[in-house]
C-alpha cells in the first residue's frame, strides 16, 4: 500500500499500485516496480557487466545469464525486445556491439524499462564521449558507479542526467585528490 492508503486517506488515486497492491515507482509518467537484475553482454555472448538486486546462488546466476544470452543472441534484429523468462519479463536493447538486458516483473511497463536502459546509455555516452564495449571493459568500475547512481536497490534513483554526471564528476575529483595525496605520501612530501 502507498503512504496515503496507510494513513486511511480516501483521496489516494491508486495510480501507484500494481496488480498485487504493492507500491511502485513513477518514472516520467511510466510505472514499474523493481528491476531484478541487469547485465550487459557483447554480440559474442561475453558478459561485460552484471548487477543483481535479489539474492541468488552463483550457479543459478550463471544459468540465467547463459540461457538469456543465448536466447537473445538467437533473435533477429527486427523481433520484439521483450522476452518472457520464467516469472519475469526480460527487456533488452542493442546499442552498437553491446546488449543491455534488464529483468522486471511481468506486469511492469516494458516501455518504461526501455526508457531506463536508454537513460543509462545516454549517461554512459556523455561520460565516455561515445561509449563502446572497450570503455565498459577497461572502466568497468565507472560503469558500475554510473549504474549505481541511476538505479539503487532495483529502483530508479535519479532521472536527471545532469545530476548523475555531476555526482560522477565529484567522485572523479575526489579520486584524483586521493591519488595525488597517496603519491605525495609515498615520496615523503606529506
Amino acid at each position: 500500500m502507498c503512504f496515503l492508503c496507510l494513513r486511511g486517506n480516501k483521496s489516494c488515486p491508486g495510480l501507484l499500485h500494481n496488480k498485487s497492491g504493492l507500491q511502485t515507482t513513477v518514472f516520467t509518467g511510466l510505472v514499474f516496480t523493481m528491476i531484478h537484475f541487469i547485465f550487459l553482454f557483447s554480440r559474442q555472448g561475453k558478459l561485460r557487466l552484471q548487477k543483481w538486486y535479489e539474492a541468488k546462488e552463483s550457479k543459478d546466476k550463471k544459468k540465467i545469464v547463459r540461457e538469456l544470452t543465448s536466447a537473445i543472441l538467437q533473435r533477429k534484429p527486427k523481433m520484439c525486445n521483450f522476452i518472457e523468462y520464467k516469472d519475469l519479463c526480460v527487456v533488452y536493447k542493442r546499442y552498437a556491439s553491446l546488449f543491455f538486458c534488464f529483468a522486471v516483473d511481468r506486469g511492469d511497463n516494458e516501455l518504461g524499462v526501455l526508457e531506463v536502459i536508454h537513460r543509462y546509455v545516454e549517461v554512459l555516452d556523455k561520460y565516455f564521449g561515445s561509449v563502446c564495449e572497450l570503455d565498459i571493459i577497461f572502466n568497468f568500475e565507472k560503469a558500475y558507479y554510473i549504474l549505481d547512481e541511476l538505479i539503487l536497490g532495483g529502483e530508479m534513483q535519479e532521472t536527471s542526467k545532469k545530476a548523475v554526471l555531476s555526482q560522477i564528476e565529484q567522485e572523479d575529483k575526489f579520486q584524483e585528490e586521493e591519488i595525488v595525496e597517496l603519491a605525495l605520501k609515498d615520496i615523503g612530501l606529506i
Side-chain angles (χ1 to χ4, degrees), residues 119-150:
R119 178 59 45 98
Y120 181 47
V121 173
E122 284 178 326
V123 174
L124 287 172
D125 266 345
K126 286 251 188 206
Y127 182 77
F128 288 114
S130 179
V131 71
C132 66
E133 188 175 352
L134 290 175
D135 291 324
I136 302 295
I137 292 169
F138 293 117
N139 299 298
F140 65 90
E141 69 282 346
K142 288 295 178 193
Y144 276 113
Y145 186 74
I146 293 169
L147 184 62
D148 289 340
E149 284 297 317
L150 282 173

Side-chain angles (χ1 to χ4, degrees), residues 44-170:
Q44 293 77 30
K46 296 274 188 184
L47 190 62
R48 298 300 182 200
L49 180 139
Q50 64 178 329
K51 186 80 172 183
W52 297 83
Y53 296 106
E54 58 184 27
K56 292 204 181 291
E57 289 187 26
S58 181
K59 179 178 69 171
D60 294 335
K61 289 179 183 179
K62 288 177 185 175
K63 181 182 178 197
I64 291 169
V65 169
R66 186 176 0 109
E67 288 174 356
L68 285 174
T69 301
S70 65
I72 291 170
L73 288 174
Q74 290 174 3
R75 294 171 65 89
K76 296 189 181 353
K78 298 281 184 185
M79 292 178 85
C80 177
N81 289 358
F82 315 132
I83 297 175
E84 289 187 357
Y85 178 77
K86 298 183 181 177
D87 61 337
L88 300 173
C89 177
V90 177
V91 181
Y92 70 92
K93 181 82 173 133
R94 180 178 168 197
Y95 288 93
S97 64
L98 283 175
F99 286 89
F100 292 73
C101 179
F102 285 42
V104 295
D105 294 321
R106 280 203 180 166
D108 293 341
N109 188 336
E110 295 90 355
L111 296 177
V113 178
L114 278 174
E115 195 170 330
V116 173
I117 292 172
H118 188 69
R119 178 59 45 98
Y120 181 47
V121 173
E122 284 178 326
V123 174
L124 287 172
D125 266 345
K126 286 251 188 206
Y127 182 77
F128 288 114
S130 179
V131 71
C132 66
E133 188 175 352
L134 290 175
D135 291 324
I136 302 295
I137 292 169
F138 293 117
N139 299 298
F140 65 90
E141 69 282 346
K142 288 295 178 193
Y144 276 113
Y145 186 74
I146 293 169
L147 184 62
D148 289 340
E149 284 297 317
L150 282 173
I151 299 168
L152 182 66
E155 294 186 2
M156 193 73 179
Q157 173 180 300
E158 180 62 63
T159 58
S160 169
K161 289 184 280 188
K162 287 182 182 179
V164 170
L165 290 169
S166 166
Q167 283 296 114
I168 295 165
E169 287 173 13
Q170 287 179 1

